[in-house]
Amino acid sequence: MIQKILICFENCIILTKAIQKIGVTAMDEVDMELEKAFQSKIDAELKIEPKDWMPDAYRKTLVRQMSQHAHSEVVGMLPEGNWLTRAPSLKRKAILMAKIQDEGGHGLYLYSAAETLGVSRDEMYEQLHSGKAKYSSIFNYPTLNWADIGAIGWLVDGAAITNQIALCRCSYGPYARAMVKVCKEESFHQRQGYEIMMNMSNGTKEQKEMAQDAINRWWWPALMMFGPHDKNSDHTSQSMTWKIKRTSNDELRQRFVDATVPQADYLGLTVPDDKLAWNEETQSYDWGEIDWDEFRNVVAGNGLCNRERLQTRRDAHDGGKWVRDAALAYAEKQKKRMADKAA
Ligand code: 3HC
């Protein structure tokens, strides 16, 4: 009897292995076919839409990037929010208010676009509030005076536009379409910041010094927004194959430097980089090296404002719970009222 059971057991193992082998091969082949069809769609510049088949890794990369982009927008409201009550005029207060509202809208827009990939809003909030998810390092620097509000609009939103214009051609439809609207508003953000810098650079001696101090503190962190050098980037090559990224980190950063240095010259401000020089041959600027230790340190959570920014986000989320509960209760009531009416 024992002999029989052993043989049966042995056959089961062989059979399982065989099924696995056939199954895995067949499944592999199906997946390979699907991946091939997926990549040829991307190569043909066709947009991938939420209901289309996509490799899990493509979905995962988009959830990571889009949710972190949304976190950056929402956390990005905080440094400027700090100066709403201290804006130098009613006009400036109104402009800053409009800009900050735009950023909040960009965040909600991007969270909604990320939700089309199957991730929930609550999951994304939990990843931000727990510190698991990243947001752009730039928002962990303090805004010390009004010139910083100008430098943020001019440099931070200027860098964001450089990056986001490329994202308008991203292979994932909802992300690309969200970027078109976002970029239109970002150009207003950049212009209003540059106007502040123009007023201060042409203002009193103290104002000009404040503008110069602001570019000294925001120039290099703005270059860090484009991410690590391509050779040190975990995601660039795959993201370029999938056309999530259309231009690499270094290329976008160079594009930003080439566009922004002449603007600083026009303001009569000095870019804080003694290696900055126009290269006639490449028709672009040569420039120094980013302090990657500072970058890694800030991204790791040890920037000047990381803890304060996250705590503010957590407090806002907790403080707004009653609004979410009321909205859900109201929606439930509406749903019941409609059902009673239909009955
Ligand atoms: N701050 C924090 N983390 C950063 C970073 C930065 N400045 N730059 C790169 N990283 C992280 C990446 O998220 C990645 O970490 P992860 O795997 O945990 O997500 C790691 O460093 C390696 O970087 P890669 O370059 O390989 O990663 P990506 O391919 O994702 O490229 C990116 C980084 C260029 C920021 C890309 O994610 C991207 O284009 N994101 C969308 C745009 C965006 O998020 N911009 C942030 C600012 S938004 C803004 O400024 C709004 C404006 O209105 C104020």
Side-chain angles (χ1 to χ4, degrees):
M1 184 58 167
I2 295 280
Q3 190 64 12
K4 262 199 173 160
I5 293 171
L6 277 178
I7 293 167
C8 257
F9 186 63
E10 234 169 65
N11 286 348
C12 279
I13 290 174
I14 295 165
L15 201 61
T16 319
K17 280 204 176 115
I19 291 171
Q20 272 177 348
K21 197 163 170 351
I22 300 167
V24 164
T25 324
M27 273 317 292
D28 268 354
E29 263 152 36
V30 168
D31 271 354
M32 272 158 67
E33 283 313 306
L34 284 168
E35 295 235 5
K36 238 165 66 191
F38 170 80
Q39 191 59 49
S40 50
K41 251 180 106 174
I42 288 193
D43 296 344
E45 294 294 340
L46 295 173
K47 290 288 181 235
I48 304 300
E49 298 299 335
K51 290 202 169 61
D52 292 346
W53 183 88
M54 60 184 84
D56 287 346
Y58 177 83
R59 183 188 303 277
K60 204 164 151 261
T61 289
L62 281 168
V63 167
R64 172 189 64 82
Q65 178 166 329
M66 291 166 72
S67 59
Q68 292 184 162
H69 193 164
H71 298 331
S72 302
E73 298 280 3
V74 169
V75 174
M77 296 166 78
L78 301 176
E80 290 166 313
N82 196 12
W83 283 86
L84 256 185
T85 53
R86 292 180 266 173
S89 69
L90 186 59
K91 177 189 155 212
R92 278 286 160 210
K93 185 194 286 262
I95 292 172
L96 185 57
M97 174 84 83
K99 178 194 190 296
I100 294 171
Q101 279 173 330
D102 279 351
E103 308 298 10
H106 295 171
L108 298 180
Y109 220 53
L110 284 158
Y111 283 131
S112 305
E115 282 173 324
T116 63
L117 289 154
V119 63
S120 78
R121 190 70 60 103
D122 287 342
E123 271 174 282
M124 291 187 273
Y125 284 156
E126 192 281 327
Q127 285 161 3
L128 171 65
H129 299 150
S130 63
K132 266 185 254 151
K134 292 186 171 72
Y135 57 88
S136 193
S137 49
I138 190 78
F139 299 119
N140 292 309
Y141 290 81
T143 43
L144 305 179
N145 56 52
W146 183 253
D148 287 18
I149 302 304
I152 288 178
W154 172 36
L155 299 175
V156 175
D157 289 78
I161 293 179
T162 310
N163 167 288
Q164 290 167 165
I165 285 174
L167 284 169
C168 289
R169 295 173 48 237
C170 165
S171 57
Y172 187 56
Y175 197 18
R177 290 188 290 271
M179 283 299 105
V180 173
K181 169 181 159 58
V182 165
C183 283
K184 285 188 181 131
E185 291 167 350
E186 291 293 3
S187 38
F188 146 61
H189 300 170
Q190 196 266 1
R191 298 316 300 162
Q192 64 84 34
Y194 193 64
E195 193 197 29
I196 291 174
M197 295 304 272
M198 200 134 53
N199 293 343
M200 295 192 81
S201 305
N202 298 320
T204 63
K205 181 171 159 302
E206 290 75 16
Q207 284 172 330
K208 174 127 192 184
E209 281 163 5
M210 282 169 74
Q212 182 60 54
D213 169 57
I215 188 175
N216 291 346
R217 285 182 288 108
W218 289 93
W219 177 259
W220 290 102
L223 299 188
M224 295 173 193
M225 287 174 68
F226 294 96
H229 280 312
D230 298 342
K231 62 181 185 308
N232 304 324
S233 159
D234 312 334
H235 304 294
T236 290
S237 95
Q238 181 60 65
S239 288
M240 299 277 285
T241 306
W242 281 332
K243 296 189 181 177
I244 293 171
K245 252 184 197 175
R246 304 305 299 250
T247 318
S248 77
N249 296 1
D250 287 329
E251 282 170 83
L252 284 177
R253 196 177 354 250
Q254 186 61 51
R255 213 176 274 179
F256 173 73
V257 170
D258 290 346
T260 312
V261 168
Q263 294 172 355
D265 294 345
Y266 180 78
L267 294 176
L269 296 178
T270 310
V271 170
D273 176 358
D274 52 12
K275 296 210 173 47
L276 185 74
W278 178 252
N279 183 322
E280 210 39 56
E281 202 189 313
T282 60
Q283 286 294 300
S284 70
Y285 285 92
D286 294 334
W287 47 280
E289 187 55 57
I290 288 170
D291 178 347
W292 293 109
D293 289 339
E294 178 184 332
F295 170 75
R296 278 185 288 273
N297 205 26
V298 175
V299 172
N302 307 316
L304 289 169
C305 300
N306 295 56
R307 274 175 280 287
E308 177 197 332
R309 298 286 186 242
L310 266 191
Q311 197 49 54
T312 309
R313 277 301 318 139
R314 287 187 200 111
D315 294 348
H317 188 71
D318 296 345
K321 186 175 177 317
W322 69 272
V323 178
R324 294 192 297 276
D325 292 348
L328 289 171
Y330 179 72
E332 270 311 303
K333 226 193 280 176
Q334 286 293 82
K335 211 162 89 186
K336 189 171 173 321
R337 207 171 282 157
M338 300 292 273
D340 294 350
K341 226 170 162 184

